[in-house]
Amino acid sequence: MIKSRYHWDLAQPTEYITDDLAKKLKLSPIVKKVLESKNLVQENNILDVLEDKVLDHDPWLLSDMQKAIDRINLAIDKNERILVYGDYDADGVTSTTILVNTLQQLGAQVGWYIPNRFSEGYGPNEHAFRNAYDEGISLIITVDNGIQGHDEIKMVQDLGVDVIVTDHHEIGRTLPEALAIVHPMHPDFDYPFKYLCGAGVAYKLSQALLSHPPQQFIALAAIGTIADLVSLTDENRSIVKRGLKILNDQTPVSINAILKQAGYNDQINEETIGFIIGPRLNAVGRLEDASLAAELLMVDEFEEAEFLAEQVEHFNQERKDIVAEITEEALSLAEEQVQQGNLFLLLAKENWHEGVLGIVASKIVETYALPTLILNIDLEQNHAKGSARSIDQVSMFEILNAHQDLITKFGGHHMAAGMTMDIENIDELRKGLNEWMKQLSESTSLAPRKHVDVLLNESEITVKNIQDIQKLRPFGTDFNSPTFEVNDLNVKSIKAIGQEGKHLKVALGENQLAALYWSYGHLAKEIEMGQPLNLIGNLQINEWNGNQSPQLIIQDIATETIQILDYRSKRKHLQFTENNSNTAYVIHPKKDKTNEHHYYYGETIESQYDKVVLRDLPTTMNEIEETLKQLQFSQLYLVLQHDQSIYFEGMPSKALFKECFKALINKQETNLAKEGMMLCEFLKVKPEILKFMLKVFSELDFIYNEDGLIKINSHSSKKDIETSRLYQLRQSRIEVEKRLLYDDFSNIKKWIKSQLS
């Protein structure tokens, strides 16, 4: 049995689309099911998804908008110097680009500044604000940051510089003392949609300033919206749909250059932004100064854009290498904490690149399904800095906010946060976060869960249906690409693919559905031909040589029957260690136990394990029968290590024992060192068989050894050869090898299943 990594929560719609409405809107059965799973059953809600109508809330409804516009216009009229203060991620650089270009069109004297992630950190920075004041800046406008910059904003306002905050991040207990705060979640205002990203807020400010901003600004806002993983509903959905159309019809030179460097020349969709454009814009700020990314977005000449995009691509490749190295180290630390029972993983180490810790944290959460904070320890600065990622059941903002006395500075939202803290507080914070999680676990299940939209039959997985599903795009946060469940699909073929067999590819069911499971190539050794599988995943269309076919990208996999897996070959290696708490090892009584999960054959196993490994070959079939009767498991691994095999040597016949004994009697005494090989040739046996027979004779007291001479014991009593313990052990060993090493594996599995209680 392969246990699913997640609990699958299949959507249970309480309302359904009427047949008349489905007919009116020409909804295919599978689209109808998907919409119902997302509780979209009313005509207006369905049309919001299907149609390209513009949803554009009045920007003047945003908090302090009038105050902000009045101050900006005053600055323009008086030719004051304005600074746009941005952020170093994709949302931050698109926000900066939108607002700088807006102010330039109005003739403002405007500059822009993006703080360095490493030397200045996230959000308002006192040194940068003082420099702005020294350079004659009289108005600072923050984009995609500022809501947590209380001290810095008060400081610069006291110097006479006005600050307008435009942000979308979680608002803390108090608001900063800025001249104006333009924020969709401002408690004193009622903007119709609360979940704009930073670029979305910047675009609304641009609308208020220009009335009709250039369409390119919508494209930039779409990039920020997708890259920042905000809710893809309501106004955000409209921004993204319009932005994608603009990106395809009038691709900005900067985006063209990025895609050219990435080797991408296909249609631009939300995945293009999420996996190609966004990561590259983010990569610059993760490793160096994000100004390069903003400069790229602001250029109009393709040659200059190409030059800058080449540098961006270099940063992206470097980022990938650094992430891989840190992830390997972080996974090792995470495993130790998981073994200790930690429910919140706080991982800290020196010389971890701070810019990629959010990506690493996401990979740790994906592996262990626990909220994770990754910190780089900087001994020179005496602080630790990093990023956190959460699970659905835990608000990262709430849990860190509850421990802010141990944290110097942090900002974020439900699923992610960034922070700085003193090194000496790390252990206390880890303890506090785990105590908080322990209390939460008493009332809330922390078991990882996956939402499943629709249960499908194999016959419903067609190219036509997948094409219909794609009409619902774009997909994203709060409107995810539908996850489907399919059950009881028999495995027709299976193999590990990619470098070092890292990924799994299977063909399933009567239609040979191709399915891919990234990073799970090791399952190729655990899944059997013909075995029925249950899977959840996303459907795609695979195109090859002009042919189209359905393809499932697997998110999780499970089998309902126990698995007995053949690992007897030296070419097969287990993918887990002997310290795994979910795995029991059954070993030979002569071998030493090295941990609490080691058991001897026949020994009572009271704990229940997911996996059981029969590591060593048992001495007798009775031993393994006693073990199997008490086992409960999902997977049983047959490794059955042994020093040597005696099955093909066999058991000497009684006639051979008689002939050997007769030869010894005739000689009365035999010098084994000198005459052993002659005796082997006479009996036509190998030396190992002769040694075994002599040991049996010695055990039965038929012979004895005196100074290297084998002599007959004339006083021995008559005994049957079969009463010898050595004879019986060899007989048992031969039976064990016959049944467990050399029988057909299908017969071995059948026998093992018959022994299970």
Side-chain angles (χ1 to χ4, degrees), residues 98-110:
I98 290 169
L99 192 53
V100 168
N101 285 342
T102 297
L103 294 172
Q104 286 174 341
Q105 289 195 26
L106 290 168
Q109 190 181 168
V110 59

Side-chain angles (χ1 to χ4, degrees), residues 336-402:
E336 291 177 17
Q337 292 195 19
V338 169
Q339 295 291 341
Q340 293 165 8
N342 286 17
L343 297 176
F344 191 109
L345 304 178
L346 194 166
L347 313 174
K349 192 175 178 183
E350 291 178 64
N351 300 318
W352 276 352
H353 201 297
E354 294 167 10
V356 301
L357 298 186
I359 300 174
V360 177
S362 294
K363 291 179 181 293
I364 302 299
V365 172
E366 185 181 337
T367 303
Y368 292 103
L370 293 172
T372 301
L373 171 60
I374 311 274
L375 295 172
N376 173 58
I377 296 175
D378 188 333
L379 293 175
E380 194 174 310
Q381 299 292 328
N382 192 34
H383 69 213
K385 214 168 158 186
S387 295
R389 296 294 183 269
S390 196
I391 57 178
D392 289 337
Q393 302 97 313
V394 180
S395 167
M396 188 58 72
F397 182 83
E398 182 183 346
I399 191 172
L400 292 180
N401 201 44

Side-chain angles (χ1 to χ4, degrees), residues 68-69 71-73 75-76 81-87 95-96 99-100 103 108 110-113 129 137-146 161-167 179-180 182 201-202 205 209:
I69 297 302
R71 181 63 185 90
I72 291 170
N73 285 330
I76 294 171
R81 297 186 66 189
I82 303 172
L83 178 69
V84 175
Y85 187 91
D87 187 30
S95 306
T96 302
L99 192 53
V100 168
L103 294 172
V110 59
W112 54 276
Y113 185 84
F129 276 16
I137 300 293
S138 56
L139 175 61
I140 295 174
I141 308 173
T142 70
V143 289
D144 193 34
N145 75 94
V161 179
D162 287 330
V163 178
I164 297 171
V165 170
T166 77
D167 201 355
L179 172 74
V182 183
V201 177
L205 183 62
L209 286 166

